[in-house]
Amino acid sequence: MKRFARLLLLSLLLLPVLTITALADSGPKDQLIVRVENAPVEAYYLDLVTQDSGTSSLHPNLSEQELAVLDRDMLTALVTAVPKGSHACTAQGSTGAPMWGDLVGEREDAKGNPLHRFGYFGLPDTYQILMVTKSGETFLSEPCTRKVLQSSVTVDWAEKTVSIPPVWVGYVLQFLSTLLPTLLIEGVLLLLFGFAWKKNWKPFLLINLITQGGLALWLAINAMQHGANFWFYYFAFIPAEMMIAFVEAGLYRRCLTGGSKVRAFFYGLTANAASVLLGLWTVEPVWSFIVSIS
């Protein structure tokens, strides 16, 4: 009875995470990683350019601290190179919602190519990539369109070309970035709840592949049909996570062995709540790491 009470208390403490994540501005966010191959040997800035929305108001995306360390001449050259009727999303601001971006490549992939990350709700669906070097050389790509919530593109500076991976690659990367943290977190909790790994690894993996695969597919369909925006996360992602919590709990109750059905059910609720909470912290770095080695 005491063990059941402890499990119940732990589950009730973690279960609210399923409903407060929206209030904490959680959930997967729009994100784009731009890889630069044959990068300029001199300093350069890279930004996304999109057409004006018809309003003159832009949401500033650079803080005073960031502006203070930027090269003003290069920043002016970047803004000057923006086509008429468009704006640079990081240097000038975004319309409708904020976003963030790396004018300077903050990371590198496994081959040493610079990576520029752009993300959050203001990330445009259709964009061009603009690069300006210290000596004044510029490159503006043809318009590109994001097909998935989190995606990547590669710029070859030497060839002045942009290559976009097939859509299925983006789906696979997103799926792995959510599945891997989930397996790690829920796997640890499986052992903490007293279920032997040797007896339960098959149903554990199968249930997660089904639920996470279904979630990835459902979110992808919704994002493609309705777009990915603030309300999308409130009314699509959060309810889906809550539904999955009880679906997994019910499946674990039937499939896990070596413990009571009550323990298995509360394990499902607790594990899903923990994976939502901790997974939201890890999904971005895991996704970025996968992109950097792909």
Side-chain angles (χ1 to χ4, degrees):
M1 186 66 182
K2 290 183 179 180
R3 180 178 297 178
F4 171 78
R6 288 197 296 268
L7 291 175
L8 179 60
L9 178 60
L10 177 62
S11 299
L12 290 177
L13 287 173
L14 289 175
L15 190 58
V17 172
L18 296 172
T19 56
I20 67 172
T21 46
L23 300 178
D25 190 26
S26 299
K29 302 296 188 295
D30 298 61
Q31 197 168 168
L32 174 71
I33 289 184
V34 181
R35 175 189 286 107
V36 181
E37 294 182 346
N38 301 309
V41 294
E42 58 181 323
Y44 72 91
Y45 287 162
L46 183 151
D47 204 354
L48 304 182
V49 172
T50 191
Q51 291 185 341
D52 294 334
S53 62
T55 176
S56 59
S57 60
L58 292 174
H59 191 289
N61 293 318
L62 290 174
S63 65
E64 292 296 328
Q65 293 79 5
E66 290 173 313
L67 286 171
V69 299
L70 292 174
D71 185 310
R72 292 306 180 108
D73 291 336
M74 288 178 61
L75 197 59
T76 300
L78 178 73
V79 173
T80 302
V82 174
K84 185 177 181 180
S86 301
H87 62 273
C89 297
T90 305
Q92 293 180 290
S94 54
T95 58
M99 60 167 282
W100 46 260
D102 297 333
L103 295 181
V104 179
E106 300 292 342
R107 303 181 185 180
E108 294 182 346
D109 66 8
K111 297 180 180 179
N113 297 310
L115 299 175
H116 299 256
R117 300 181 306 141
F118 300 88
Y120 213 59
F121 295 112
L123 188 66
D125 292 330
T126 300
Y127 62 92
Q128 293 174 274
I129 297 173
L130 175 62
M131 295 178 63
V132 175
T133 68
K134 179 72 173 178
S135 63
E137 188 175 359
T138 64
F139 165 66
L140 181 65
S141 74
E142 293 294 322
C144 306
T145 301
R146 294 191 303 122
K147 297 295 185 180
V148 292
L149 195 65
Q150 297 173 329
S151 57
S152 64
V153 298
T154 298
V155 176
D156 189 322
W157 171 256
E159 299 294 331
K160 300 298 188 292
T161 59
V162 173
S163 58
I164 303 175
V167 173
W168 66 266
V169 173
Y171 290 141
V172 170
L173 295 179
Q174 290 179 206
F175 175 67
L176 290 177
S177 66
T178 55
L179 177 64
L180 295 180
T182 297
L183 291 179
L184 176 62
I185 295 165
E186 296 194 11
V188 170
L189 285 174
L190 182 73
L191 301 179
L192 292 178
F193 267 75
F195 293 99
W197 177 256
K198 184 178 293 186
K199 294 181 179 180
N200 295 290
W201 70 269
K202 288 183 179 179
F204 170 78
L205 289 179
L206 181 60
I207 289 171
N208 273 285
L209 286 173
I210 292 174
T211 55
Q212 292 300 319
L215 176 64
L217 179 62
W218 187 73
L219 289 178
I221 292 174
N222 274 272
M224 290 289 289
Q225 292 180 345
H226 308 296
N229 52 47
F230 179 79
W231 296 108
F232 168 79
Y233 300 114
Y234 269 89
F235 296 110
F237 176 73
I238 299 302
E241 285 287 4
M242 295 178 65
M243 182 181 299
I244 284 178
F246 287 95
V247 170
E248 285 191 358
L251 291 174
Y252 285 137
R253 182 178 182 275
R254 297 186 59 180
C255 300
L256 294 184
T257 59
S260 69
K261 294 185 180 297
V262 173
R263 189 198 306 175
F265 183 82
F266 281 105
Y267 158 72
L269 293 181
T270 304
N272 196 273
S275 65
V276 170
L277 177 63
L278 299 180
L280 290 172
W281 294 347
T282 59
V283 62
E284 189 278 329
V286 171
W287 181 79
S288 297
F289 172 74
I290 293 173
V291 171
S292 71
I293 64 175
S294 61

